[in-house]
Amino acid sequence: MTDERLTGLYVMDPALFDDVYGPDERADIERHLTIERPPLSATDLSAGVLADVDVLVTGWGAPRLTAELLDSAPRLALVLYAAGSVRPLVTEESWARGVRVTSGGAVIADKVADFTLAQILYALKHGWRYVLTARRTAAAVPRRSELGTAGATVGLVSLGATGRATARLLARHGVRVVAHDPYVSDADARVLGVEPTTLEGVFTQSDVVSLHAPLLDETRGMVDAELLRSMRPDATLVNTARGGLVDEPALVTVLGERPDLFAVLDVTDPEPPHPGSPLFTLDNVVVTPHLAGSLGPERRLLGAAMAEELARYVAKRPLRHEVAAVSMEHAA
């Protein structure tokens, strides 16, 4: 397959298309692809529109690669997916037919890790606690002898792309990092500078626990009352992963029982919380509106990553962000 014979099509949520694929990103992509149609949404895919498509350029709102869609796209060889989890996109049929998929998940993971690091460092200095206490009391709050990063332990739940990116950032700050991930060997964890431990060990040892696990049947509600009650005095829970990982009623109960604990929730279940939720009124929790990840102009980094992947593909070089079927079982 040569560069000039490749035909492509943009298909994704039209409201997000320009966020992801700006003029520069489209120019880089169209250097290698002939794209004759305007961008479409998944619902716009009529009969025959995919017949000559070699590369599908997509992102949030991508069409699912069902057998029916694949039957209508006999030439489809590559999907550039400028978003995170490919679970809504791929199917057993797409793997069986050898359709290659590359994802922007690693780009998003780096952005989530940046936000998470900021929250972890702020938590180690009890920043949010001072802000909320001063606002509640309308008075300056005397500074305590905070731990900061010196001698602190940070616990990571899962060492997927975001957990690994967070571990790499934490390595620069001199904190001890412990982690639990049943699918990562102890040797691989130690290569990251992380001490492997049990899930219970993460909660009992850490001054800040940061969640990065995918939301699966076996992880839903995994952070329960027992784990929360086992946390160290003055510890903080940070969740930038999925709200469903936490048993939210249990979290509300334990935060009420233990005002020394704190929670920073960038995700909730449901998201956003219902009006009047205790998460908005408890003194020891803050809720942010899913700020971690790629927002606004940051999403152009996803489009740029997909353009780079396409350049590698036409040059017959290995793709940096290709998703393998075997990696999907426990992916986010």
Side-chain angles (χ1 to χ4, degrees):
M1 183 178 295
T2 61
D3 187 304
E4 53 272 16
R5 292 180 63 85
L6 287 172
T7 299
L9 185 68
Y10 296 114
V11 183
M12 63 175 289
D13 182 343
L16 297 175
F17 177 76
D18 286 331
D19 280 1
V20 176
Y21 296 109
D24 291 343
E25 292 73 32
R26 293 197 298 271
D28 287 343
I29 285 169
E30 291 165 26
R31 188 171 295 118
H32 302 292
L33 290 183
T34 299
I35 299 181
E36 297 179 342
R37 296 176 184 270
L40 302 176
S41 71
T43 56
D44 292 331
L45 292 178
S46 56
V49 73
L50 293 171
D52 62 350
V53 170
D54 303 298
V55 179
L56 192 63
V57 185
T58 184
W60 289 286
R64 190 161 176 80
L65 301 177
T66 62
E68 181 181 8
L69 181 143
L70 294 168
D71 286 343
S72 71
R75 287 172 45 178
L76 183 63
L78 175 68
V79 178
L80 302 172
Y81 183 65
S85 172
V86 299
R87 283 183 175 274
L89 172 76
V90 299
T91 62
E92 291 298 329
E93 186 65 23
S94 66
W95 297 128
R97 298 197 191 189
V99 177
R100 299 175 68 183
V101 176
T102 187
S103 163
V107 177
I108 295 175
D110 285 343
K111 283 297 174 187
V112 175
D114 288 344
F115 181 86
T116 302
L117 176 69
Q119 296 302 324
I120 290 171
L121 297 181
Y122 202 50
L124 288 172
K125 291 184 183 260
H126 289 178
W128 281 119
R129 303 179 196 225
Y130 286 121
V131 170
L132 296 183
T133 301
R135 180 163 295 178
R136 186 174 66 252
T137 61
V141 181
R143 193 176 69 218
R144 298 166 53 192
S145 179
E146 308 301 345
L147 185 63
T149 57
T153 297
V154 175
L156 305 178
V157 178
S158 181
L159 289 172
T162 306
R164 288 170 182 260
T166 303
R168 288 192 292 269
L169 293 177
L170 286 168
R172 298 169 45 207
H173 295 276
V175 298
R176 173 180 175 237
V177 182
V178 299
H180 170 70
D181 190 321
Y183 306 106
V184 174
S185 71
D186 288 0
D188 286 345
R190 291 192 176 96
V191 167
L192 289 168
V194 170
E195 298 177 31
T197 186
T198 62
L199 181 61
E200 293 75 15
V202 168
F203 278 80
T204 59
Q205 297 178 55
S206 302
D207 300 292
V208 178
V209 174
S210 186
L211 305 182
H212 301 286
L215 184 59
L216 308 170
D217 289 344
E218 58 266 36
T219 61
R220 182 174 292 278
M222 66 187 291
V223 180
D224 57 15
E226 183 177 0
L227 285 175
L228 293 165
R229 289 192 177 104
S230 75
M231 294 179 76
R232 299 179 69 169
D234 291 331
T236 299
L237 175 72
V238 175
N239 189 6
T240 57
R242 295 289 185 269
L245 297 173
V246 179
D247 180 341
E248 207 160 273
L251 176 64
V252 169
T253 296
V254 174
L255 289 175
E257 295 171 352
R258 289 192 52 187
D260 65 299
L261 297 182
F262 201 86
V264 178
L265 306 178
D266 191 49
V267 288
T268 56
D269 186 23
E271 187 174 310
H274 295 303
S277 166
L279 296 178
F280 295 127
T281 55
L282 283 166
D283 293 336
N284 50 346
V285 60
V286 291
V287 178
T288 53
H290 207 144
L291 300 177
S294 299
L295 303 179
E298 293 175 339
R299 291 172 175 159
R300 296 279 172 90
L301 296 173
L302 297 166
M306 294 302 96
E308 182 181 342
E309 288 289 79
L310 178 61
R312 297 177 73 90
Y313 178 75
V314 299
K316 297 183 171 19
R317 297 168 59 198
L319 303 183
R320 294 183 60 200
H321 306 300
E322 186 165 8
V323 181
V326 293
S327 70
M328 286 301 302
E329 183 179 358
H330 304 289

